[in-house]
Amino acid sequence: MKAISVGPRRVMFNLVRPAVVRRAGVQSCIASPFLNLTNNSFLGSSSPVLQTLSSPQPILSHNMSGVAAPPSAALKTKGIEKSVWVEFIQLALEVKPLNLGQGFPDFAAPETVRKALAEATLSETNVLLNQYTRGFGHPRLVAALCKLYSKLIGRELNSLTEMLVTAGAYEALFVAIMGLVNPGDEVIIIEPFFDCYVPQVKLAGGTPVFVPLRPKKTEGVTSSSDWVLDPDELASAFNEKTKAIIVNTPNNPLGKVFKEEELTMIANLCKKHNAIAIMDEVYEWMTYTGQKHIRMATLPDMWERTVTIGSAGKTFSVTGWKTGWAYGPANLMKGLQVIHQHSVYTCTTPVQEAVAQGFEIEIERFGTPDCYFLSLPAELEVKRDNIVRILTEAGLNPIVPEGGYFIIADTRSISSKIDIGGDPNERKDFRFVKWLSRNRKLQGIPPSAFYSPEHGDIGENYIRFCFIKEDANLEKAGEILLQLKKDIDAGQV
């Protein structure tokens, strides 16, 4: 409030700009209760205050009390708010099902890394392990990563310029996309894809272009190798605007391990159109009998245009540690480093120390049965075969994964025989997964979440389960599904 002198009088006047209301083309002014605009003789018609109030003014959003409306979030966050993980984690908290939806182990991680983390936090000889470390990666971890991947890709990695440690593979993807993609660039995404790719491309100002893997056969028990790219469809997605392609191998949720000829086809298109290959290889160690993980960076002339992403969470079964990395040529990695240093800046020191020690141990064991990179997939292959049997006995048709620790299964044989209800505007797999969670206390994830809207129908007849779980929990899931089949056959659903 201010007191304004007008001749011998002092008038209390609210200087908050009056709100303007427009209805049916009529403009009116909601004035301060301290000023009577219908009787302005004390001010005079030529008063500069009245002239200001009666003149057109820039209009801000105000409520009736004259207080501005709360500010809003950035426009770039609109349209990407929805997350399948937020929705189904909340559902799991509500109904408490047996959760085979989220991709994390329910058994202990290797003792070597767990013990290393405990020792790092309690160390009396190196108390600095609880303080900041080098922003682009803890020196011991960067050294271990470079030693391992130099051997795997057949070239010496520069630990200062060609390796970056991140807050999980999620951040590695984010800084890769933000650091490499310009507004207006197009980024090809192979479907099905991990769902963070699309919002991250959009946040960078890029345009996602979708190319799906399509099944060659859909009846009975099939393999993830039956899902392939159409060479013409893929080639037509590349053009002068293409900046990058994102490839996930082994693929989540499908479990497909891309063969060398498939990666070569992608590589040739990248070279032809001067595009970057962003390789999400977080499941690199989880391939099964007869399969081999091929690293794009090892193909002819692809090192110069490939950024590869890895994960300690997947490698050592410690998803809660949120430690990942990216490696590639220095000129591309510079973009990732800049985004990282201005956002996360540095990752957790003791966790990096523990992961480094884990790698040092496994490098020494490399190629032996004791190496976790071999023992984990051997253990998972047994679990995979077990869940294939479980799903088949329950009347579902699984797609046998060649790698990773997820499996998707065709649900039509049972979902078509029950009233799953739900919002008819939602895809069928979303409604079925919710029904199964609420009514049978078993949770998976709807695979259409890993597709663009225009290709979501490819995934809506399936459900995704995670099988990096205790055998007892996999058997319990089998009991639930088998009972559901019996109830359907008996007409009791």
Side-chain angles (χ1 to χ4, degrees), residues 155-342:
R155 66 179 300 127
E156 198 67 29
L157 289 175
N158 185 312
S159 62
L160 297 179
T161 61
E162 297 178 336
M163 180 67 69
L164 173 68
V165 176
T166 58
Y170 214 101
E171 193 225 334
L173 286 162
F174 180 76
V175 297
I177 292 167
M178 294 298 291
L180 299 174
V181 176
N182 294 310
D185 286 344
E186 292 184 358
V187 178
I188 297 170
I189 298 175
I190 295 177
E191 300 173 294
F193 55 83
F194 191 60
D195 68 321
C196 74
Y197 299 170
V198 172
Q200 290 182 1
V201 168
K202 290 182 176 179
L203 285 171
T207 301
V209 176
F210 303 100
V211 179
L213 292 160
R214 300 182 187 276
K216 293 187 291 186
K217 52 188 291 191
T218 58
E219 300 301 322
V221 177
T222 60
S223 167
S224 59
S225 64
D226 294 320
W227 292 65
V228 297
L229 292 167
D230 180 313
D232 294 332
E233 187 176 16
L234 179 64
S236 67
F238 281 82
N239 58 53
E240 67 280 357
K241 293 183 179 180
T242 304
K243 184 61 178 289
I245 182 171
I246 305 176
V247 183
N248 177 209
T249 181
N251 176 270
N252 170 22
L254 192 56
K256 177 182 175 66
V257 176
F258 281 74
K259 306 300 183 289
E260 185 169 356
E261 55 268 28
E262 293 175 304
L263 293 175
T264 298
M265 174 177 65
I266 296 169
N268 289 339
L269 288 167
C270 286
K271 288 182 281 189
K272 178 180 178 180
H273 295 275
N274 196 29
I276 300 166
I278 300 174
M279 300 300 298
D280 181 351
E281 299 184 6
V282 297
Y283 302 101
E284 60 188 316
W285 302 109
M286 300 168 204
T287 59
Y288 304 126
T289 301
Q291 305 302 321
K292 182 182 180 182
H293 176 64
I294 305 294
R295 293 175 172 81
M296 179 70 86
T298 65
L299 297 185
D301 302 317
M302 282 305 292
W303 164 255
E304 295 80 6
R305 58 181 68 256
T306 301
V307 170
T308 306
I309 289 161
S311 164
K314 305 301 188 294
T315 299
F316 289 110
S317 302
V318 286
T319 60
W321 289 14
K322 292 301 294 178
T323 300
W325 54 85
Y327 64 88
N331 61 304
L332 297 182
M333 292 301 298
K334 187 63 179 177
L336 282 68
Q337 290 175 330
V338 169
I339 300 299
H340 174 78
Q341 76 182 22
H342 293 306

Side-chain angles (χ1 to χ4, degrees), residues 17 41 47 123 127 132 135 138 150 153 208 213 246 286 297 323 326 343 349-350 353 362 416 459 475:
R17 178 170 292 155
S41 57
S47 164
S123 175
V127 296
Y132 294 132
H138 186 51
S150 292
I153 68 173
L213 292 160
I246 305 176
M286 300 168 204
T323 300
S343 53
T349 306
E353 174 73 12
E362 300 308 326
S416 62
E475 292 297 338

Side-chain angles (χ1 to χ4, degrees), residues 333-395:
M333 292 301 298
K334 187 63 179 177
L336 282 68
Q337 290 175 330
V338 169
I339 300 299
H340 174 78
Q341 76 182 22
H342 293 306
S343 53
V344 175
Y345 178 64
T346 188
C347 300
T348 310
T349 306
V351 169
Q352 291 188 75
E353 174 73 12
V355 173
Q357 292 186 38
F359 272 117
E360 290 167 359
I361 292 169
E362 300 308 326
I363 289 171
E364 290 297 318
R365 296 172 173 175
F366 196 82
T368 72
D370 291 334
C371 180
Y372 195 66
F373 305 159
L374 293 179
S375 64
L376 178 61
E379 181 181 355
L380 288 177
E381 187 163 0
V382 175
K383 294 180 183 293
R384 179 203 66 173
D385 294 345
N386 192 26
I387 199 167
V388 167
R389 174 189 59 79
I390 287 168
L391 294 171
T392 304
E393 290 176 352

Side-chain angles (χ1 to χ4, degrees), residues 17-23 26-31 52-64 66:
R17 178 170 292 155
V20 174
V21 181
R22 291 183 176 88
R23 292 192 181 91
V26 177
Q27 178 173 305
S28 62
C29 189
I30 312 294
T52 299
L53 289 173
S54 61
S55 301
Q57 299 291 317
I59 305 303
L60 299 176
S61 177
H62 290 72
N63 59 26
M64 294 297 287

Side-chain angles (χ1 to χ4, degrees), residues 140-158:
R140 187 171 183 177
L141 177 54
V142 169
L145 288 168
C146 287
K147 182 177 181 179
L148 175 64
Y149 285 105
S150 292
K151 179 179 179 180
L152 293 173
I153 68 173
R155 66 179 300 127
E156 198 67 29
L157 289 175
N158 185 312

Side-chain angles (χ1 to χ4, degrees), residues 469-485:
K469 305 291 182 182
E470 291 281 8
D471 292 339
N473 286 329
L474 297 180
E475 292 297 338
K476 178 62 176 176
E479 293 170 8
I480 293 171
L481 291 171
L482 194 59
Q483 186 61 51
L484 174 58
K485 181 179 183 296

